[in-house]
Every structure is written in C-alpha cells, then in structure tokens.
Amino acid sequence: MTNHHRLLQVLVVSVSLLAVAHSLECRRGYSDGNDDVRVIPDSWINDGFCDCPLDALDEPNTDACAGAPVGGWAGLPGRMEKSPTFQCPQQHQKKLPLSRLNDGVCDCCDGADEPASTCPDNCNTVLAVERAARAKMQADYVIGSQKRTNELAAFDALVKETMVEIEKTDEEMKGKEDELEGVSQLIHEATIAFAEARRAGMLRVASVVAASDGGGDVEGISGLLDPLTNDEIGLLIQLTCQLSGEMEGSMKERTCVPLRLAGVDAGILWSDEAFKDATANVITMDDDEEAQQQQQLLLAELVYMNTQGEKAWSEKKLTEHKKKADKRRRLDDHYPDDDYDHYDEEDDDDDDDDYGRDDYGRDDDEDDEEEVIEDDSEEEKGEEIKKVKAIVEGTLFSRPRRNFLDHSESLVAKIDAFLEAKKEEAEAMEKEEKEKEEKEKEEGAPEAQSEESETEGEAETEEVEDGEPEFDPMSHNLVKSNLKRRQQAIRRGLQYAVSGHILVDAISANNDDASKARVDLINLAVGTLMHSRASTEHVWQMLSTFLPEFDSTSPDESQTCASPLATICPAKAIERKGVQYPPAAFMTAGDAACSRAVDEINAAGCAEAASDDIPTNVSDGYYGYSEIRARGEDDPLGAAFASLQILKPTLLESLETKERELEEEKSALEKQVKSLEDTIGGRDGQQDGVKGELHGMKDSCHIVTEGKYDYEVCIYGRAAQKDKGSKSSGTSLGQWQGMSIDEETGHRIMKWEKGQQCWNGPARSATVIVRCGAATSVLSAEEPDTCQYALEMESHIACDDAYYQKYLA
C-alpha cells in the first residue's frame, strides 16, 4: 500500500470516527457463521490488534491486519490455516490478501479487486505475456524433466554398480587389515626377542671387558673395569662422552648420545636433562602390567632402531625416526631412481671450505656456533650447572683443551683484525690508483712518462718478489677455519661431558644399593665405549689423567705442549686388586702412542706460549690439542664388540618387508575405493546433489557476458570475473562450496566463497540461483553488494516434481 493510499484511508477513518462520536463499526469476519457487526471503541483503534479483519478499518496506521502465513489475522481464530485471500478471476496463479482489496491499486488485470469501473481491463495483453511465459516454462519443464529423469536413472544404475565394487574392495581391504594386524603382532614379538638377545650379548661383552675372570680374555682388554671404583667408572663414562662429542660432526644434540644408546642396550632410559638444575631422572618401570608391556616394547623398538643405523633413545626420538622413514619410503615410491638423501640433511655447522664472504672479509659463519659451553643459554644459568661445568673443565683431561680455546680465540681475533687491516689497505691502494689514473687522464701524460711508470711498476714488482711473499688471504682464512673447527669440537665435547656427568649422577641417585648401581655403571661404561667408537689408546689416555697412581701433572696455563701426551708418557702400569693395570691391550696402545710422539715431545716439550705470529697451518698438537679420530677396524675394543655386529634381526627384517608389502596393497585398495566413491559423489551420493543431480554437470564450466566482463562458474571448481574475451584466469570469485535448495522457491542455490580479497572490503563470493530450464546456461550476472556477485542460471537439474507443483500445476 502506497503512502498516498494509506493517508487517504487515515483521512476517511478519521472523518468516520468524528461522525460516530469516536466509535467504529465493522463485521467480525469469523468463519463460524457469526459475522455480526461489532462496535470498536476508540481505545482499540491502532492498538496493534486486528479487530476488523475483513477491511482493517481499526488499524489504518499499523500492520496488524496485514495477514500472517498461519492462523490468519490477529482477530481471527487460530484454527484457520491460511490468511483469507482473494483469487483474481482470470489469473489463476494470482491470489491477493484481503487487505489489498479496495486499496486503490489495480492488482488484477481486470480490476476485480477494486470497485467497478475503477481499473481498466488489461487481461488480453497481460495474459498473452503470461501465457507465453507459462508455455515456455511448460515446454522447458517437459524437456528438462525428461533429461533430469534420464540422468538420475543412469546415475542410480551407476551407484548400484559402483557400490558392488566398493563393497567387494572393502572386503579385500578388511582382509589386508587382518593380515597386517597379525604381522604387526609378530613384529612386536620378534622385536622384543631380538632386543633380549642383543641385551644378553651386551651383558656377556660387559662381563668380559669388566672383569679378568668374566668368561675369557679378548685380546688383552678383559679386567678393564673391575679394578675401578664406582666414581672412577662414572668419570670414565664422562670422559668417553667428552671424546665422543669431539668426534661428532654436528651440534644437533646436546646430550651424550653414546651414553643414551648404552642406556637403551642396558634397559635404562632417562628423562631429558634439566640443564638449569643439572638433574636427570631414570625412568622406572610402571606398576601397571599393560604399561610395562608398552615400556618393554618401546625399549625393544629403540634397540632395533639403533641397529639400523639410527640413533634413538626416547619415545620422541623413535617417533621422529619413524616419520623420517615413512617419508623416505614415500619418496622412494615416487622417485625410485632419485638420490634424495640430501633432501633431509641439515646444513653442516662445520664447513671447512667456507673461508669468508670475500678474500679479506670476516668469516660470517663464526656466530653460527650453537650451545657452546661458555655461552650460557637461559636454562644453563643455574648455580648447579655452573658447578658441573667447573668439575668438567677442571679435569686434567680438559685443561689442555681449555688452554687451546683461550689461545686460539686470541689468535682468531688477531686474524680477523689482520684481515680487516689488509682489506682497508687494499681499498686505500685501489682508491689511490684510481685517483692517479683519473689525474693522468686529465693531464694527458706523455707516452714517455707512461713508459717510465711501467718501468717503475716492474721494479716495484721485482722488489716485492725479492722481499716478503705476497699476502694470501686464503691461507689466513684456512687457518682460522681450522682453529674454529677445533674450537667447535672441544666445546661440543665439554657439553657432552656435562650431560654425561648429569646422567651418571642420576644412576647413583636412583639406586640405594651400591652393588646394583655398580652393575648399571659397568654396563653403561661398556656400552658408551662401544657407541662412542673410542679406541684402546683413548681409554689409556683417559685412565692416565684421573687415576691417582699415575700422578699426572698439567703444565701451567701460560705454557703450551707440542703433544697432549707430554704429561702422561711414558706409559706406566700399576697394580690394582693384585693384577697389573691397565690390561695389556691398553698398555700396548699407550706404549705405541708415546713412541709415536717421542720426537715432538723431546723436541719441544712444554714451553712458554708459542709465538703470536699467525701460523701458515694448524696441525695436530698445535697448542697441545689433536683432533680426535674414531677407533680403527683392527682395534682390540672393536674386536670385543664384533659378536654384537654378527647378531642380525633377520626374522624381524623379513616381517617388516611383509608389513610394507601389505601396507602398499592396502593403500592401493584405499585409493581404489576413494576413486570409486568420487565417481558417485561419496558413498551416500550426496556430494553430487539430491539423487546425484549434479553428477552430469561435474567439472563443467559456464560463462555469461555482462558489460565488459565475462563471468565463469565451474561446478566443483572456481568462479572468476575476466575481461571480456580474456584467456587469463581472471579475478577469483571463490571456490565451490556446494549446492542447497531454497525451501520457499524450490530453486537451487550454488555458492562459491573465499575469493580474491576486495580492496578495503570482504573476500569476493558468488551465488547462482538455478531455475528449471531445457538446457544449462547462465543467464545474467550482477554485483548487488560490494564484491558479492549474483548470477541466474537455467538448468534441467531444477525441473523436479516440486517445481511442477509450485509453478505449473
């Protein structure tokens, strides 16, 4: 109702009210036959309650009599299912609410809704257009509904056929899963059996190495640990960790890895070290039987993992290695001929060939050193860790290493200063030469002068050749790199030693029984020697630095030694528990080491600190430190551990191969099922719309042109706005989100969302309204709101029975 009509009605009502002394009469309008006239008091006028439902005279200024979907107007009984309507005589699809009768607006084409002679009769024109539109709708429906019926029937047959294949494949997959479950159980049992066999072998080796009567001598190494006290065994473990840290090629781990692996072999696991408090806890076996089985399996899997060349000592590490192994298998499946080992490798911290950014520049990688012993991290600022560090650095074994660090750091700083000075000198000479050339060009120097300059240059060259050698920045950077590599190794060793000290202390703290603690320490010591690749010579050196009988002394900090063996040679034997100690193999290694180093010891011995001159190379023994190298294949310690290398998990490896084959077969079946499901839009078919009506449109694209743009929508794909005729991808209006049905209109609603962000606005989106049509095509496109696009489409998929009943019946 227009404002003009509403104002006119208000005026009429107002005049009527004045005429009847502020009262109003109207029919009740009830459908039960009681249609008498009632008087409406003025207090009921415009009170929001429709007392005159047939003509709305009591509510001219409100919408109370505007009608409601169910129950009629407010003044009519609630039992009425619909608002009463007026049917236009010649327009069967047009029904008007009673409030629109006699309102001055011609709604029916023949004017039947208004008083006679008020409206012209336009039915011929209006009905002709309506009949044509209706005829097209009926024709489109006949074609579209038949096409829809055929497609749905074909889809239904496809679903039934495909579901048979899916169910068959499901059965095969269930069989593979059952097989996998059985093989998995066998793998668990084989893993535990292998771990137990290896642990038994490790205990036998430990018995042989520890005691002279432990079951036979192995090339003179038996009886290594039995004469030592628990504290001495703990110190041997700590120093072995230190050696191992110096041999490691990276700073990825802060913990003493060989000791951790030895713990796995011995059935001992620690929590991570708390470096701030210098503590670690031994993980004890759970009281719960099921938890015990899980811990037993974890230990067994760790043992097996370590025999495969990996290094794992905790559940976290085991998970990491399994993920890495899975990734490698997937890469191997996709790229069987590719060498992809380098994909997983991290940058090496010690790059021997990195001499600097340029010939004179500083080595910018010098700040990449991680977790060095003197650069305390936040968790290493506690007083307890400082005490442990002091103990580690205070051993006779560590002192020459600290001495090397002090002197080499001073030398590295000197090299940096020297390179910087040379760089500045070269830049100054280059600048001077450039200025000289520019000046000569300006003055136009004669040819003779040029020849004279060349003669002078040749003389200068000869003078340089006759004097000091030309400066070579590469050699200085090489010296610096070698110094820093050794510094890194020493710091890593000190970090490992701190970790070893903490972990060993946890063993003593966890055992009230000293004899039990000793058994654990012996097993850990032997395992650490094995995993660290320490040699008999390394063991002799370590023993010589901490056994009180050897009375080894350290040079003053102001001195440097040509060999780290200077303070412990010649090799000496002592007597412990009635036997000669160390055992023969270690004495032989000590004698050989001292003989090898005797020339340099006699030549230089321990003297005042070496010259401050920058050396031309850094060899072993420089400032008393030699790089640590792993034991050779012929070392007696290696022979002691040979029996463990023979033990192979043959059964376990064959079961794992079977498991991988079954997993591959199961994966192939899963992909097959997924492909079948995609064919029919999921097992329930709902991904392709009601009864699969979108199946025939899957992955199709439809374009409409509006103005200077083409609008393209792709079912299950993207929607885009492009310049007219453009072949580019255009501006994204979003990705396919799905299709729903509007309950009121029956139209299909397709949506694309999360498109390209509008400047200072929302992400673009597109909505397509789909109506029944003989063929599928987009009819129009517009942008009713900023970056929100609305399109209209005709398609046979909307030509269902509900459409016919609503619009054509």
Side-chain angles (χ1 to χ4, degrees):
M1 185 179 293
T2 64
N3 292 335
H4 175 72
H5 294 144
R6 173 66 69 183
L7 180 59
L8 180 61
Q9 189 177 45
V10 171
L11 291 173
V12 171
V13 172
S14 300
V15 172
S16 299
L17 291 174
L18 291 172
V20 296
H22 304 291
S23 64
L24 176 69
E25 292 183 354
C26 67
R27 289 182 298 160
R28 292 165 57 87
Y30 287 114
S31 60
D32 58 0
N34 186 7
D35 198 21
D36 57 333
V37 176
R38 64 189 303 187
V39 176
I40 305 300
D42 57 359
S43 61
W44 290 13
I45 304 299
N46 292 320
D47 66 347
F49 190 89
C50 188
D51 300 291
C52 303
L54 298 182
D55 52 21
L57 292 178
D58 67 313
E59 297 294 326
N61 296 335
T62 74
D63 293 327
C65 296
V70 179
W73 287 302
L76 295 180
R79 64 178 179 273
M80 296 181 65
E81 297 182 356
K82 293 182 179 179
S83 302
T85 59
F86 176 82
Q87 173 73 56
C88 291
Q90 298 189 60
Q91 294 170 287
H92 300 293
Q93 293 294 323
K94 197 159 190 176
K95 296 178 181 180
L96 305 175
L98 298 185
S99 62
R100 290 173 62 179
L101 298 179
N102 302 319
D103 62 353
V105 178
C106 300
D107 296 296
C108 298
C109 64
D110 57 4
D113 59 312
E114 299 297 326
S117 303
T118 303
C119 302
D121 189 341
N122 297 323
C123 285
N124 287 337
T125 302
V126 171
L127 293 179
V129 175
E130 288 186 2
R131 289 189 189 103
R134 183 176 179 82
K136 182 182 183 305
M137 290 173 63
Q138 289 176 329
D140 286 351
Y141 175 78
V142 171
I143 298 172
S145 64
Q146 185 59 53
K147 186 175 181 180
R148 183 177 189 274
T149 299
N150 293 342
E151 285 190 358
L152 294 188
F155 179 73
D156 185 60
L158 177 63
V159 168
K160 291 177 180 177
E161 178 184 344
T162 305
M163 284 306 300
V164 171
E165 289 296 316
I166 289 176
E167 290 170 3
K168 178 182 176 182
T169 310
D170 281 344
E171 285 297 318
E172 288 186 61
M173 196 154 53
K174 179 65 167 59
K176 297 298 179 186
E177 289 172 351
D178 292 341
E179 282 189 77
L180 271 170
E181 186 176 348
V183 171
S184 178
Q185 181 59 36
L186 291 175
I187 287 176
H188 288 174
E189 294 171 1
T191 303
I192 292 173
F194 172 73
E196 290 176 347
R198 180 177 169 84
R199 187 166 295 127
M202 192 68 201
L203 291 176
R204 286 194 298 272
V205 171
S207 177
V208 169
V209 174
S212 56
D213 59 351
D217 189 23
V218 182
E219 295 193 29
I221 67 171
S222 297
L224 173 64
L225 301 178
D226 190 50
L228 301 180
T229 65
N230 284 9
D231 288 342
E232 289 170 340
I233 295 174
L235 187 52
L236 179 62
I237 294 173
Q238 174 186 310
L239 297 183
T240 305
C241 284
Q242 189 166 349
L243 277 175
S244 174
E246 293 180 19
M247 282 189 278
E248 286 294 328
S250 72
M251 292 288 286
K252 294 177 184 176
E253 301 295 345
R254 302 175 62 193
T255 192
C256 179
V257 175
L259 178 53
R260 290 281 194 166
L261 301 182
V264 172
D265 288 334
I268 299 171
L269 298 179
W270 291 270
S271 62
D272 289 335
E273 301 99 317
F275 285 101
K276 183 176 182 180
D277 300 324
T279 58
N281 295 317
V282 175
I283 300 175
T284 57
M285 191 64 72
D286 201 293
D287 293 333
D288 180 70
E289 183 177 352
E290 183 177 350
Q292 287 182 9
Q293 293 175 353
Q294 292 297 322
Q295 287 175 309
Q296 184 183 27
L297 179 60
L298 171 61
L299 274 168
E301 288 183 330
L302 290 172
V303 168
Y304 175 58
M305 181 71 73
N306 293 333
T307 63
Q308 303 305 298
E310 304 292 351
K311 295 179 180 180
W313 55 86
S314 66
E315 187 172 7
K316 178 182 177 182
K317 284 291 179 183
L318 182 65
T319 302
E320 289 175 359
H321 285 304
K322 284 182 176 180
K323 287 182 178 179
K324 185 177 179 180
D326 288 341
K327 180 180 178 181
R328 285 178 173 271
R329 279 199 294 271
R330 289 195 300 272
L331 285 170
D332 195 38
D333 289 341
H334 289 286
Y335 311 105
D337 299 325
D338 189 16
D339 178 14
Y340 51 78
D341 287 344
H342 61 282
Y343 296 165
D344 294 325
E345 295 298 326
E346 298 182 18
D347 293 337
D348 190 358
D349 294 317
D350 302 320
D351 188 352
D352 295 349
D353 297 326
D354 186 4
Y355 302 130
R357 299 284 180 181
D358 53 52
D359 285 345
Y360 297 94
R362 294 172 61 88
D363 182 0
D364 289 336
D365 287 339
E366 65 184 331
D367 294 328
D368 292 342
E369 299 165 2
E370 301 176 23
E371 302 165 350
V372 292
I373 198 75
E374 55 270 349
D375 295 335
D376 293 340
S377 64
E378 284 300 319
E379 63 174 327
E380 291 187 347
K381 290 181 179 178
E383 290 300 320
E384 293 303 317
I385 195 66
K386 291 179 181 178
K387 293 178 182 178
V388 174
K389 287 181 178 181
I391 292 172
V392 168
E393 295 179 24
T395 63
L396 185 59
F397 191 77
S398 295
R399 288 176 192 170
R401 288 162 166 78
R402 287 298 320 175
N403 193 38
F404 176 88
L405 285 177
D406 294 339
H407 286 289
S408 62
E409 285 169 1
S410 174
L411 187 55
V412 166
K414 184 174 182 179
I415 291 174
D416 285 338
F418 181 76
L419 290 173
E420 186 66 25
K422 284 294 184 180
K423 179 180 178 180
E424 292 175 357
E425 181 181 333
E427 290 174 348
M429 290 178 63
E430 183 179 358
K431 181 179 179 182
E432 182 180 350
E433 187 68 26
K434 187 176 181 181
E435 291 175 350
K436 182 178 179 181
E437 290 177 359
E438 291 177 353
K439 184 177 180 181
E440 288 176 351
K441 286 180 181 180
E442 292 175 359
E443 295 177 352
E447 186 175 339
Q449 185 177 348
S450 177
E451 292 177 357
E452 182 180 348
S453 298
E454 290 179 5
T455 304
E456 291 176 357
E458 291 174 0
E460 289 176 2
T461 302
E462 292 175 0
E463 185 179 342
V464 170
E465 291 175 352
D466 293 339
E468 295 182 358
E470 186 176 355
F471 167 63
D472 180 12
M474 185 65 73
S475 65
H476 286 72
N477 275 312
L478 179 59
V479 169
K480 175 184 173 182
S481 178
N482 287 335
L483 289 171
K484 288 174 68 63
R485 187 181 65 249
R486 285 166 169 77
Q487 289 175 353
Q488 190 85 318
I490 292 172
R491 288 167 177 151
R492 188 164 49 243
L494 291 170
Q495 179 66 68
Y496 267 44
V498 168
S499 168
H501 184 98
I502 294 172
L503 297 176
V504 167
D505 276 358
I507 295 297
S508 300
N510 189 64
N511 283 294
D512 296 331
D513 185 351
S515 60
K516 175 63 171 64
R518 183 173 181 81
V519 170
D520 287 344
L521 288 172
I522 287 174
N523 292 333
L524 291 173
V526 174
T528 305
L529 288 172
M530 180 181 73
H531 289 291
S532 68
R533 299 168 295 160
S535 67
T536 48
E537 180 181 329
H538 293 147
V539 175
W540 167 77
Q541 287 188 35
M542 290 186 285
L543 293 173
S544 298
T545 62
F546 70 78
L547 292 181
E549 292 91 336
F550 288 128
D551 192 25
S552 300
T553 58
S554 172
D556 295 336
E557 292 187 1
S558 61
Q559 293 180 317
T560 181
C561 298
S563 169
L565 306 179
T567 61
I568 57 177
C569 284
K572 293 174 287 188
I574 61 174
E575 183 177 320
R576 279 215 173 182
K577 294 189 176 181
V579 296
Q580 181 175 315
Y581 191 81
F586 302 100
M587 284 298 301
T588 300
D591 289 337
C594 289
S595 297
R596 186 176 65 248
V598 66
D599 292 337
E600 57 189 34
I601 293 173
N602 291 336
C606 293
E608 293 300 318
S611 169
D612 288 338
D613 292 340
I614 297 175
T616 57
N617 63 76
V618 180
S619 58
D620 275 347
Y622 187 73
Y623 277 117
Y625 179 72
S626 297
E627 291 187 286
I628 305 301
R629 295 169 179 82
R631 63 172 172 262
E633 294 181 0
D634 57 347
D635 191 278
L637 269 179
F641 303 124
S643 61
L644 293 175
Q645 309 304 322
I646 297 173
L647 183 62
K648 299 293 184 182
T650 307
L651 173 61
L652 186 52
E653 289 173 348
S654 65
L655 286 171
E656 285 191 330
T657 300
K658 178 64 175 176
E659 183 182 47
R660 284 194 294 272
E661 291 173 353
L662 287 171
E663 286 175 343
E664 290 171 0
E665 293 170 5
K666 178 173 175 282
S667 177
L669 291 172
E670 288 173 343
K671 291 177 181 177
Q672 184 178 339
V673 169
K674 180 67 168 58
S675 177
L676 290 169
E677 289 177 347
D678 288 345
T679 301
I680 59 174
R683 293 198 179 218
D684 57 3
Q686 294 304 305
Q687 293 176 15
D688 284 343
V690 177
K691 299 181 180 179
E693 61 188 20
L694 279 175
H695 182 74
M697 296 176 65
K698 183 180 292 186
D699 300 326
S700 63
C701 295
H702 310 274
I703 300 176
V704 66
T705 300
E706 290 285 357
K708 62 179 182 178
Y709 294 114
D710 287 340
Y711 294 87
E712 181 182 54
V713 291
C714 296
I715 311 302
Y716 295 142
R718 71 193 292 267
Q721 179 193 56
K722 309 176 182 180
D723 289 334
K724 187 175 180 179
S726 172
K727 301 298 183 183
S728 68
S729 59
T731 301
S732 171
L733 304 184
Q735 292 294 323
W736 170 264
Q737 299 298 307
M739 184 181 75
S740 60
I741 299 178
D742 188 305
E743 294 182 0
E744 183 177 348
T745 65
H747 298 149
R748 273 61 176 164
I749 312 295
M750 297 179 176
K751 286 189 175 294
W752 286 259
E753 294 178 353
K754 300 178 182 177
Q756 186 172 325
Q757 192 76 23
C758 263
W759 182 83
N760 202 26
R764 289 175 170 83
S765 64
T767 301
V768 176
I769 308 298
V770 186
R771 299 180 176 85
C772 174
T776 299
S777 63
V778 182
L779 305 177
S780 65
E782 60 179 350
E783 186 181 1
D785 294 309
T786 303
C787 299
Q788 311 296 302
Y789 299 84
L791 296 87
E792 291 188 352
M793 173 188 280
E794 280 187 348
S795 177
H796 62 282
I797 68 170
C799 299
D800 58 3
D801 291 340
Y803 174 84
Y804 179 82
Q805 293 298 326
K806 187 171 186 63
Y807 297 103
L808 298 175

